[in-house]
Amino acid sequence: KAGVTQTPRYLIKTRGQQVTLSCSPISGHRSVSWYQQTPGQGLQFLFEYFSETQRNKGNFPGRFSGRQFSNSRSEMNVSTLELGDSALYLCASSLGGSGLNEKLFFGSGTQLSVL
Amino acid sequence: GNSVTQMEGPVTLSEEAFLTINCTYTATGYPSLFWYVQYPGEGLQLLLKATKADDKGSNKGFEATYRKETTSFHLEKGSVQVSDSAVYFCALSDQTGANNLFFGTGTRLTVIP
């Protein structure tokens, strides 16, 4: 069974640009979550999508947005990039049932560098 | 609010040494607790979890016990191997959303032969 796939693996952008990252979950998984990982702040939750709807949202500005398609693939977009947005962006998928404590399966991440 | 405080790294141990990585948490209600591991070049993987007080999670020789009285979830392994070299993250999920995890800052473990 293929794991969680994130593309691209690396991205270099300049301040003010926008960027779109993609995540393909494990087949059959309906929930996709996004996390930002930085050396200073560690791993922080961005948002979660389930059945094409945002189900949970972390404490990030509106420049960070996402969506989920009918095949459960998800994209996240960051507009008006800032230097501080440089980070590893991780996507995680899970079955997405209503129960808690689901096991999350993480992708290898997209390393974004903002110059 | 919810937060996780994890032992600062890096930690360097010789093979077969005993490992403890401390983790304490602050949460409202009754969170579930997790340890995730990140091997070089790979995504995070769930190592073990515990969902209620006094539960012990275990996997691959690692163990952690959910201690509500001390709000702790320390990770232990009796005899580490070189292949255990990785970054270990303690995390909690509150009861509002299964996939909204609060992570500690991570502890890098290096095991030398």
Side-chain angles (χ1 to χ4, degrees), chain B residues 22-103:
Chain B
N22 290 338
C23 171
T24 57
Y25 68 89
T26 302
T28 53
Y30 304 94
S32 294
L33 302 173
F34 307 82
W35 277 99
Y36 276 83
V37 58
Q38 188 174 33
Y39 298 103
E42 299 183 17
L44 277 77
Q45 302 174 26
L46 178 65
L47 182 60
L48 53 84
K49 71 177 184 183
T51 58
K52 60 183 188 297
D54 300 325
D55 264 3
K56 177 186 283 188
S58 61
N59 186 25
K60 299 181 181 180
F62 291 89
E63 293 183 339
T65 301
Y66 188 143
R67 301 285 188 201
K68 189 167 174 59
E69 63 276 12
T70 54
T71 61
S72 65
F73 193 55
H74 304 321
L75 182 68
E76 297 182 335
K77 186 174 186 182
S79 176
V80 294
Q81 305 300 311
V82 172
S83 57
D84 294 326
S85 298
V87 182
Y88 292 82
F89 293 89
C90 184
L92 72 82
S93 72
D94 59 21
Q95 300 303 300
T96 61
N99 297 329
N100 182 0
L101 292 177
F102 296 84
F103 283 90

Side-chain angles (χ1 to χ4, degrees), chain A residues 96-113:
Chain A
S98 58
L100 299 174
N101 311 314
E102 280 199 324
K103 181 177 180 178
L104 298 186
F105 294 80
F106 283 82
S108 299
T110 293
Q111 183 68 53
L112 171 65
S113 298

Side-chain angles (χ1 to χ4, degrees), chain A:
Chain A
K1 201 177 204 182
V4 178
T5 304
Q6 291 188 246
T7 56
R9 186 71 182 88
Y10 300 96
L11 264 179
I12 299 176
K13 293 286 186 179
T14 56
R15 278 182 301 175
Q17 288 187 309
Q18 75 165 16
V19 66
T20 299
L21 313 181
S22 179
C23 173
S24 293
I26 291 172
S27 178
H29 285 193
R30 296 170 62 195
S31 168
V32 173
S33 302
W34 289 89
Y35 287 82
Q36 182 195 65
Q37 185 177 17
T38 60
Q41 300 295 319
L43 276 151
Q44 294 183 287
F45 174 76
L46 281 154
F47 30 65
E48 180 208 1
Y49 285 86
F50 175 76
S51 291
E52 302 179 63
T53 301
Q54 189 179 85
R55 186 160 72 171
N56 282 302
K57 187 177 188 304
N59 189 27
F60 277 80
R63 300 186 297 107
F64 292 82
S65 63
R67 59 178 175 168
Q68 187 180 33
F69 302 94
S70 58
N71 62 357
S72 294
R73 191 177 71 85
S74 176
E75 290 180 346
M76 69 162 278
N77 185 77
V78 188
S79 62
T80 320
L81 283 166
E82 301 177 0
L83 295 179
D85 297 332
S86 295
L88 179 66
Y89 290 87
L90 294 169
C91 164
S93 77
S94 68
L95 289 169
S98 58
L100 299 174
N101 311 314
E102 280 199 324
K103 181 177 180 178
L104 298 186
F105 294 80
F106 283 82
S108 299
T110 293
Q111 183 68 53
L112 171 65
S113 298
V114 182
L115 307 178

